[in-house]
Amino acid sequence: MATTAGVSDKPSVGLKLAHGFGAAAFGIKNNGFDYFLLLFYGTVIGLEPGLVGLAIFIALTFDAISDPLVGYWSDNFHSRWGRRHPFMYAAAMPVALSYFLLWNPPDWGQTGLFLYLTGLAVLIRTFITFYETPSSALIPELTSDYEERTSLQSYRLFFGWTGGSMMSIIMFGALMTGPMGMLDRGAYATYGIIGSILILTAILISAIGTHHRIPHLHRPVATGERFGVRRIFREMVETLSEKSFIALFFATVLFAIASGLAAALSFLMLRYFWGFEEFQIFIWTCTVLLSALFGFLIAPWSVRRFGKKESVIGLGLLAFTIQPAPVLLRLAGLMPENGDPILFPLVMSINVIDLALIIATQAVAYSMIADLVESNQVRTGRRNEGVYYAASTFTRKVTQGIGVAAAGTILSIIAFPEGAAPETVSSDTLWMLGAYYAPTLLLLYLGALYCVSRYRIDKAGHEENLRKLAEAKAGPQA
């Protein structure tokens, strides 16, 4: 294990900016996959939408293999550049190039386009895993300080949310403003150029900006045991059997399903349930930047004041009761009618506050993963940051898809009309949309908070783990 002597356990603002900025790459990739990929290939290019979904499912299947393997590999990798940075540098150009190609497909038939999309989706998700998992796993290595880990995660989420939101703002505010609007193929090609350049820049800035810390990062523990499938599987099971991790695992599952459901129905809720115009929705998208800033500030303050588990539960209770509140009030007839001048600023202001609380909740919850590292090290003698972060990332990616499926189920149950103009959808159908949407979100979020309550590592426990590790390290020298 490398020594950290002479290195402050409170990372500088410059280091936090460099490390956090790298998350913009993941945010940009997610923005494209979540909001524009189906629209582009299914509507503009003409690939059967079911084939687009199948391509994404196949890519997720590859994620099931690549995510944990990359995490484990980066935990045990030996090089003069440490465990993490070789993966980060190696991912930069391939993920940027494949992202560019994704938005500039050839004029092939259905089979050719399906294979093209599938191949690139697999490559992009694999390459971004090669960057994102080792980069996230740096958090427990850059500092062992309980509060500073939340600060590092806050920077990371701020840039992740900001990167994705900026791409939506560029798309809706500039690229799609021509006569063809959302059907303009050239807009997506330009989107791919901008996105790929920003992804490459973000990854390189983050890798180069944290490079000087390589001599002070941890090295793999030499056990003398040969690598093999049995050893890899045994160590992964041993690592992930930590009870506090299991609590976070199930919390992450429920959080991700709720997030997928909310994202999938967000446009329908804004356009149909609330009756907002396209320009209002654009303004709504811009306010995400404000929420990201507020969440960035709230998360570290809350941890310093209350601790991590208490912050997640407290902020979560606020966020997840505020989010469905306007919908429930509308169902009860206590909100202004659609078209009322006060409705948009009212709902938008509530959303800015609520999303800030959600981002802060995410930042604190993700930083709790970092504290599992020393707990596991006390138990097993190994540091498995990569395995923990890979498991969390993969869980979020897969279960968000379940949320999208749940959204489709709700639309089927209420027989929501496809392609209908907002004014043609009946008030009864809209009432049913809100009646399924709000309670489902509330139940999922409350279930996630209950799981978080089972997490057992607080600040005192974390510092006790650090003390035990320091004693074990000093023991042979005594």
Side-chain angles (χ1 to χ4, degrees):
M1 182 184 299
T3 180
T4 57
V7 178
S8 172
D9 208 30
K10 292 196 173 183
S12 67
V13 172
L15 181 62
K16 292 178 182 178
L17 286 170
H19 179 256
F21 187 65
F26 195 73
I28 292 168
K29 188 278 297 180
N30 273 2
N31 175 264
F33 274 67
D34 291 347
Y35 294 100
F36 299 113
L37 192 64
L38 178 60
L39 175 65
F40 177 55
Y41 274 88
T43 303
V44 180
I45 300 302
L47 181 61
E48 171 63 37
L51 293 178
V52 179
L54 179 59
I56 301 304
F57 176 78
I58 292 172
L60 276 173
T61 302
F62 275 85
D63 275 342
I65 301 171
S66 65
D67 279 21
L69 287 181
V70 169
Y72 184 87
W73 190 7
S74 75
D75 283 339
N76 295 277
F77 192 74
H78 293 265
S79 81
R80 63 189 181 91
W81 283 358
R83 298 187 293 171
R84 315 294 181 190
H85 283 75
F87 292 88
M88 295 162 65
Y89 284 118
M93 186 59 72
V95 72
L97 178 60
S98 54
Y99 197 74
F100 165 78
L101 293 174
L102 180 70
W103 304 101
N104 291 270
D107 293 321
W108 291 348
Q110 292 288 303
T111 301
L113 280 173
F114 169 70
L115 294 175
Y116 183 87
L117 172 59
T118 302
L120 283 174
V122 170
L123 288 175
I124 291 168
R125 296 183 80 105
T126 302
F127 289 140
I128 202 71
T129 296
F130 265 74
Y131 167 71
E132 180 66 16
T133 295
S135 180
S136 297
L138 281 176
I139 292 177
E141 299 198 77
L142 294 176
T143 179
S144 62
D145 186 90
Y146 185 77
E147 284 91 4
E148 286 297 317
R149 286 177 168 178
T150 301
S151 181
L152 278 168
Q153 185 65 65
S154 297
Y155 275 84
R156 198 162 186 84
L157 272 185
F158 172 76
F159 282 109
W161 277 88
T162 300
S165 299
M166 283 301 299
M167 291 306 296
S168 286
I169 291 171
I170 290 171
M171 199 64 157
F172 289 120
L175 301 182
M176 287 183 171
T177 56
M180 297 187 67
M182 299 177 73
L183 300 179
D184 185 355
R185 181 167 180 167
Y188 294 92
T190 305
Y191 173 88
I193 294 172
I194 296 172
S196 60
I197 292 173
L198 290 177
I199 286 173
L200 178 65
T201 302
I203 291 176
L204 290 179
I205 286 177
S206 184
I208 294 169
T210 56
H211 192 99
H212 69 284
R213 291 298 295 265
I214 290 174
H216 309 288
L217 302 178
H218 293 270
R219 302 289 179 179
V221 176
T223 64
E225 184 181 356
R226 293 184 61 183
F227 280 104
V229 174
R230 181 177 297 179
R231 176 187 168 184
I232 293 172
F233 182 76
R234 187 190 74 243
E235 290 186 359
M236 282 189 179
V237 170
E238 190 176 36
T239 297
L240 300 178
S241 63
E242 170 83 35
K243 290 183 179 180
S244 287
F245 171 77
I246 294 173
L248 284 185
F249 172 83
F250 284 107
T252 301
V253 167
L254 294 173
F255 276 138
I257 293 174
S259 297
L261 173 65
L265 293 180
S266 60
F267 179 77
L268 288 179
M269 293 299 295
L270 293 174
R271 191 74 180 92
Y272 290 82
F273 189 84
W274 296 113
F276 296 150
E277 301 295 332
E278 290 185 4
F279 180 73
Q280 291 175 313
I281 296 174
F282 171 70
I283 297 299
W284 182 286
T285 303
C286 294
T287 63
V288 172
L289 302 178
L290 192 59
S291 296
L293 176 60
F294 289 156
F296 165 77
L297 298 172
I298 292 170
W301 170 83
S302 181
V303 169
R304 289 193 299 270
R305 184 73 183 272
F306 304 108
K308 293 185 181 179
K309 182 170 79 171
E310 293 77 7
S311 292
V312 171
I313 293 173
L315 293 172
L317 285 173
L318 279 174
F320 306 140
T321 51
I322 290 174
Q323 186 177 41
V327 177
L328 294 174
L329 290 173
R330 163 60 64 84
L331 297 180
L334 300 176
M335 287 289 285
E337 295 297 322
N338 289 1
D340 190 310
I342 196 63
L343 180 65
F344 177 70
L346 174 62
V347 177
M348 184 182 68
S349 299
I350 293 172
N351 182 72
V352 168
I353 296 170
D354 180 63
L355 185 56
L357 293 171
I358 290 175
I359 293 172
T361 303
Q362 288 179 336
V364 180
Y366 296 164
S367 77
M368 293 165 77
I369 297 172
D371 300 331
L372 293 168
V373 172
E374 287 82 12
S375 177
N376 176 67
Q377 190 178 2
V378 168
R379 191 166 53 93
T380 68
R382 299 187 306 271
R383 290 185 67 90
N384 293 110
E385 300 96 330
V387 171
Y388 279 130
Y389 279 94
S392 175
T393 301
F394 174 69
T395 301
R396 294 201 304 271
K397 285 190 285 191
V398 173
T399 51
Q400 277 184 323
I402 299 175
V404 174
T409 300
I410 289 175
L411 295 179
S412 296
I413 291 174
I414 66 175
F416 195 89
E418 293 184 14
E423 62 274 8
T424 65
V425 181
S426 71
S427 57
D428 288 342
T429 299
L430 293 177
W431 194 94
M432 290 297 293
L433 176 63
Y436 277 96
Y437 172 82
T440 302
L441 277 185
L442 187 59
L443 288 174
L444 287 169
Y445 281 135
L446 290 179
L449 294 180
Y450 170 77
C451 293
V452 170
S453 72
R454 313 307 296 173
Y455 182 87
R456 291 291 178 258
I457 304 173
D458 57 10
K459 184 175 182 178
H462 173 64
E463 292 178 347
E464 176 64 14
N465 286 330
L466 293 178
R467 184 190 65 77
K468 290 178 180 178
L469 292 173
E471 286 184 355
K473 182 180 178 182
Q477 302 172 3

